[in-house]
Amino acid sequence: MILPMKTSIIIKKLFVYTFSLWQLLCSANVWPEVFTTPGSSQVESIAIRSMLDPNAVLITEVDIIFVYDRLLLNELPINKKDWYSNKREVTSQYKDNLDVVNIFIPQGFDSVNAILPLRRNEAVKAFVFAYHDDSKASPVEITNIANVKIEIDPFGIRVLDDSLVNTKNE
């Protein structure tokens, strides 16, 4: 039989240990991903510009991928070759958990602004693949960039934070 006084002490100790653990997690900024709120994408706009010769007869395909399920991150292809080889299968299998914005850019074309999905801010991650890149190129993560600028040049794509680019030019 447990006495009421001992029960009270056990409950107090349990409370103190639990509270200390929560405090440690918060102060160390080590927070399990399970407890974080979904949706961390800050992407508000994406501008794409080709820096190649306007007389070239080339078109670059750019895919902007918004992922809404953390578990899906481990299932996505890790390079350009795998993405474009398995794109149809991946997009049909996970159609409720990701959005793909697909844009074709003619070389030398000044610029185009992507039309983004309405739920983009709910995405846990956002990536860019471009067909112009090397076959082993990994996707470029753009989750934490509000105003994304993508430049296509002879060597592949360059992804920039447009707000930082504009600040440097001023």
Side-chain angles (χ1 to χ4, degrees):
M1 180 173 160
I2 299 176
L3 299 173
M5 187 171 182
K6 284 194 173 199
T7 304
S8 170
I9 292 172
I10 292 172
I11 291 174
K12 285 179 184 176
K13 284 185 178 182
L14 183 63
F15 175 78
V16 168
Y17 291 136
T18 304
F19 183 73
S20 298
L21 178 64
W22 281 98
Q23 211 172 17
L24 177 66
L25 286 172
C26 291
S27 66
N29 205 11
V30 181
W31 194 253
E33 289 184 4
V34 177
F35 297 125
T36 59
T37 56
S40 59
S41 173
Q42 298 175 12
V43 178
E44 292 300 323
S45 69
I46 299 177
I48 306 170
R49 182 174 179 203
S50 174
M51 308 295 282
L52 296 175
D53 181 3
N55 296 318
V57 187
L58 297 171
I59 296 177
T60 298
E61 181 178 6
V62 176
D63 284 339
I64 304 154
I65 304 143
F66 293 90
V67 181
Y68 302 100
D69 184 352
R70 285 191 191 283
L71 300 177
L72 178 57
L73 294 173
N74 296 329
E75 304 295 321
L76 289 177
I78 60 169
N79 61 42
K80 180 198 115 176
K81 178 183 174 193
D82 291 343
W83 169 252
Y84 284 104
S85 297
N86 300 310
K87 179 178 168 180
R88 179 171 284 165
E89 180 184 321
V90 171
T91 55
S92 64
Q93 185 177 357
Y94 301 112
K95 62 185 173 201
D96 295 333
N97 295 320
L98 63 86
D99 287 325
V100 178
V101 177
N102 181 265
I103 301 173
F104 290 93
I105 306 294
Q107 302 313 323
F109 191 70
D110 186 32
S111 67
V112 65
N113 289 326
I115 298 173
L116 303 176
L118 294 175
R119 64 180 186 156
R120 68 183 173 270
N121 290 7
E122 297 171 25
V124 292
K125 294 283 181 187
F127 301 99
V128 174
F129 275 110
Y131 204 78
H132 186 68
D133 265 336
D134 180 77
S135 66
K136 296 175 187 163
S138 298
V140 179
E141 185 181 344
I142 59 169
T143 309
N144 297 320
I145 304 174
N147 300 305
V148 180
K149 183 176 183 181
I150 301 171
E151 292 181 346
I152 303 167
D153 64 24
F155 306 106
I157 66 166
R158 191 173 16 184
V159 177
L160 307 164
D161 184 339
D162 198 35
S163 61
L164 295 176
V165 172
N166 288 335
T167 305
K168 288 182 181 178
N169 293 335
E170 292 177 356

